[in-house]
């Protein structure tokens, strides 16, 4: 989810509108916001995803979103979330809303509790989007207009009973985007494939009668071989076993993070910095293979596996 929201900042206003029923002005454009809170001078305070709503008519900042991806309870968040809001507010000089996105309803209930900032009179109320707020179905035109939100729905609901139509509609919308050359559609496709059972994908392939050369059950493997920005045709026949000799280092790093994120494992800021600093092709390849099997993110960097 972290990669999804980082690459698709326009997802945040849709979460506010579609999932939380809040109004968002139509005369706003959505920009990628800063991920660090520099005023705090603390490198570990990094927001999972931010978006800035800017007025089209005069360029003024209307609002910013501090987005947090939360998979489980973490009591430390009661102390860091207020820092994220205050830091971004001071940096951007505009109102900041904290939005917590989680695929688990139990975590959603936990995150919804107000945070007492003082004497019970100053409280931070996180806006929480859990599985109950994320749509379970999309019409084709909706999925084409909001492919990132439809992809999020598949990531959350794609393994549940009755989700086959949702998957089919979203796959078609993302495939249309790939055919139009929309770069982020490749990431959306990989996230969908990683979130759905292979048997379900095979059945959808048959129902959709997709053209030869495109196989949803193999598209995800492309990242291991050719990197995030290469076409399906260049990488569809290659998997992890064949290595990623021709992939660039940056693409390997992104592939590692993508695999971990799709398996519900999140790198800490320190671990992400270690990954970003690594320039050893052999080690990156080794970490990429481990990413598919480790149970915890920290095991990725173990000296022996």
């Amino acid at each position: 989810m972290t990669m999804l929201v980082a690459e698709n900042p326009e997802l945040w206003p849709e979460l506010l509108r579609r999932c939380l029923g809040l109004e968002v002005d139509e005369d706003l454009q959505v920009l990628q916001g800063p991920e660090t809170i520099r005023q705090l001078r603390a490198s570990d305070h990094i927001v999972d995803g931010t978006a800035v709503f800017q007025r089209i008519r005069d360029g003024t900042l209307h609002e910013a979103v501090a987005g947090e991806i939360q998979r489980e309870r973490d009591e430390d968040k009661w102390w860091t979330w207020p820092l994220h809001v205050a830091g971004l507010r001071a940096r951007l000089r505009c109102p900041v809303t904290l939005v917590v996105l989680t695929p688990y309803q139990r975590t959603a209930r936990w995150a919804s509790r107000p945070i007492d900032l003082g004497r019970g009179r100053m409280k931070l109320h996180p806006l929480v989007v859990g599985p109950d707020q994320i749509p379970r179905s999309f019409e084709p035109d909706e999925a084409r207009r909001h492919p990132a939100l439809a992809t999020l729905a598949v990531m959350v609901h794609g393994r549940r009973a009755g989700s086959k139509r949702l998957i089919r509609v979203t796959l078609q919308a993302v495939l249309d985007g790939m055919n139009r050359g929309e770069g982020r559609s490749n990431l959306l496709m990989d996230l969908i494939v990683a979130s759905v059972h292979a048997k379900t994908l095979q059945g959808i392939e048959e129902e959709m009668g997709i053209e030869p050369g495109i196989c949803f059950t193999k598209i995800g493997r492309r990242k291991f071989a050719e990197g995030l920005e290469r076409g399906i045709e260049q990488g569809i026949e290659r998997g992890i076993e064949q290595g990623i000799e021709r992939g660039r280092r940056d693409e390997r790093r992104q592939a590692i993070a993508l695999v971990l994120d799709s398996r519900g494992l999140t790198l800490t800021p320190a671990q992400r910095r270690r990954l970003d600093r690594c320039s050893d092709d052999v080690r990156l390849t080794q970490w990429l293979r481990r990413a598919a099997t480790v149970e915890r993110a920290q095991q990725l960097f173990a000296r022996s596996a």
Side-chain angles (χ1 to χ4, degrees):
M1 284 187 180
T2 303
M3 185 170 291
L4 176 66
V5 298
E7 296 295 329
N8 298 272
E10 71 279 3
L11 181 60
W12 292 111
E14 290 309 312
L15 291 176
L16 295 177
R17 287 192 191 101
R18 179 80 182 259
C19 301
L20 296 177
L22 300 177
E23 292 185 4
V24 179
D25 291 349
E26 295 295 336
D27 66 334
L28 299 174
Q29 61 179 340
V30 183
L31 306 175
Q32 182 72 59
E35 68 173 11
T36 57
I37 305 170
R38 295 173 183 169
Q39 287 87 348
L40 297 176
R41 300 185 183 276
S43 60
D44 57 338
H45 288 290
I46 299 178
V47 187
D48 290 332
T50 61
V52 177
F53 301 168
Q54 185 181 56
R55 293 200 178 279
I56 298 174
R57 63 175 179 268
D58 56 14
T60 58
L61 298 185
H62 174 71
E63 180 185 7
V65 168
E68 289 290 323
I69 310 301
Q70 198 67 31
R71 296 184 175 276
E72 58 188 15
R73 293 172 61 110
D74 183 353
E75 301 301 330
D76 285 344
K77 298 298 185 180
W78 300 128
W79 310 104
T80 58
W81 282 346
L83 286 175
H84 293 173
V85 173
L88 286 174
R89 183 173 180 271
R91 179 174 180 178
L92 299 175
R93 303 288 177 173
C94 71
V96 175
T97 300
L98 173 64
V99 181
V100 181
L101 177 61
T102 175
Y104 306 115
Q105 195 58 36
R106 179 178 297 180
T107 305
R109 289 193 295 270
W110 165 81
S112 297
R113 293 187 297 174
I115 301 173
D116 183 9
L117 303 180
R119 291 183 173 268
R121 301 186 65 178
M122 299 174 60
K123 293 185 177 181
L124 174 63
H125 295 264
L127 300 181
V128 181
V129 179
D132 286 355
Q133 286 74 44
I134 297 173
R136 295 175 182 267
S137 64
F138 277 81
E139 294 303 317
D141 60 334
E142 292 179 309
R144 284 191 293 269
R145 288 198 306 271
H146 309 295
L149 182 58
T151 298
L152 175 63
V154 172
M155 294 174 69
V156 174
H157 303 304
R159 291 177 180 258
R160 297 180 179 179
S163 62
K164 199 168 183 178
R165 182 179 184 276
L166 167 65
I167 299 168
R168 184 171 61 251
V169 168
T170 304
L171 280 170
Q172 185 61 62
V174 173
L175 186 58
D176 291 345
M178 295 175 69
N179 292 334
R180 292 192 298 269
E182 298 174 1
R184 283 181 291 183
S185 295
N186 293 332
L187 172 62
L188 299 181
M189 180 63 75
D190 287 324
L191 293 174
I192 294 169
V193 170
S195 304
V196 179
H197 291 296
K199 187 175 181 180
T200 301
L201 287 172
Q202 290 173 354
I204 291 174
E205 289 167 4
E206 296 175 0
E207 291 179 7
M208 294 177 65
I210 59 175
E211 60 187 72
I214 298 178
C215 180
F216 297 139
T217 56
K218 294 182 180 178
I219 287 176
R221 301 177 187 174
R222 175 175 52 83
K223 295 305 180 191
F224 300 110
E226 298 292 345
L228 292 175
E229 296 180 359
R230 298 185 179 228
I232 296 174
E233 294 80 3
Q234 294 177 320
I236 203 169
E237 297 300 329
R238 300 192 59 183
I240 300 177
E241 296 78 11
Q242 294 175 303
I244 52 171
E245 296 83 3
R246 292 182 293 172
R248 296 193 302 268
R249 288 169 184 167
D250 285 347
E251 292 170 337
R252 288 188 179 126
R253 297 186 190 105
Q254 293 181 56
I256 291 168
L258 173 62
V259 173
L260 290 173
D261 187 70
S262 68
R263 299 183 60 234
L265 303 176
T266 303
L267 291 169
T268 65
Q271 291 168 342
R272 185 58 197 245
R273 289 194 296 271
R274 180 174 180 181
L275 175 62
D276 290 340
R277 287 196 300 264
C278 181
S279 59
D280 187 327
D281 291 338
V282 174
R283 181 168 295 177
L284 286 172
T285 301
Q286 188 179 60
W287 288 352
L288 181 55
R289 293 181 183 275
R290 288 184 188 176
T293 60
V294 295
E295 296 181 357
R296 292 177 297 174
Q298 66 188 52
Q299 294 174 335
L300 185 74
F301 308 104
R303 291 185 179 276
S304 61

